[in-house]
Amino acid sequence: MVDIIGHLGMGLIWLAIVSWLAYDGKTALGFVALGAPFSLLPDIDLWLSKAFQTVNHHGVVHTIVFVAAASIVIGAILAKWVVPRFDGDYLVPPAGSSYVYAIGAVFVGGLSHLFADMLSAPDIAPQVEPFWPFVETKIVTVDVFYYNDPVVNWGLFLSGLALAGVIWWQADDDDSAVAA
Ligand SMILES: [Zn+2]
């Protein structure tokens, strides 16, 4: 899904499922909101490849190793400076776990991107090798979607929004339960 909405949709789907399994109410909603922008993260190699000749689109930045490393750095920054600001509102991870929460959100968002690219490359872009350097073959690519297919992109986006909406609705429900 080269399309931004397709990646956001896949990110929302993954984040909604993980947050639903791992967190409750507004904490779950915060997890989805925190991770969603990072469903676009690996495509920074489009810009990086213009600045640095050694960087290729769908290269090292589109690997689980890179996404994990970036999640630790970005997640730690978010946990230290962003999560506490929203404490008591949307981002309310259980005490002591804001690092797990923020790193997890970035990681899930980033992984969803690799997964979407695995399903859609290599129509108009090189195949991704998400398991590099552990697996150097490209057999993990399953080309099931056309990159710019509007049905796929909008379908993913609307499904992601619907799932995020369920998490939102549950968070609101939690509130009314507390109020009652
Ligand atoms: Zn990508």
Side-chain angles (χ1 to χ4, degrees):
M1 260 63 45
V2 75
D3 214 319
I4 284 175
I5 59 161
H7 274 305
L8 270 178
M10 185 67 88
L12 288 174
I13 291 169
W14 279 47
L15 287 159
I17 292 170
V18 173
S19 74
W20 185 73
L21 293 172
Y23 298 107
D24 288 318
K26 284 189 168 181
T27 314
L29 188 57
F31 186 86
V32 175
L34 198 61
F38 298 100
S39 59
L40 306 175
L41 176 71
D43 279 348
I44 56 164
D45 63 9
L46 286 168
W47 283 280
L48 289 176
S49 61
K50 289 186 183 132
F52 306 99
Q53 285 197 328
T54 47
V55 178
N56 296 315
H57 181 45
H58 282 181
V60 70
V61 177
H62 276 72
T63 62
I64 294 171
V65 169
F66 176 87
V67 169
S71 304
I72 291 169
V73 175
I74 297 168
I77 292 168
L78 291 175
K80 184 150 177 56
W81 285 291
V82 177
V83 174
R85 282 175 187 267
F86 292 89
D87 220 7
D89 193 3
Y90 276 94
L91 304 170
V92 270
S97 69
S98 53
Y99 283 89
V100 175
Y101 182 78
I103 291 170
V106 177
F107 187 60
V108 172
L111 275 191
S112 76
H113 182 106
L114 300 186
F115 182 67
D117 278 349
M118 277 168 66
L119 296 182
S120 57
D123 293 324
I124 55 174
Q127 285 177 309
V128 289
E129 296 173 72
F131 300 107
W132 180 92
F134 306 109
V135 180
E136 296 226 24
T137 57
K138 304 191 178 197
I139 49 165
V140 289
T141 300
V142 195
D143 183 16
V144 290
F145 298 149
Y146 179 60
Y147 240 72
N148 291 323
D149 186 340
V151 175
V152 169
N153 280 296
W154 280 98
L156 280 170
F157 187 58
L158 294 177
S159 309
L161 277 187
L163 284 179
V166 171
I167 302 289
W168 193 318
W169 171 70
Q170 285 195 334
D172 254 16
D173 230 31
D174 265 17
D175 262 11
S176 32
V178 171

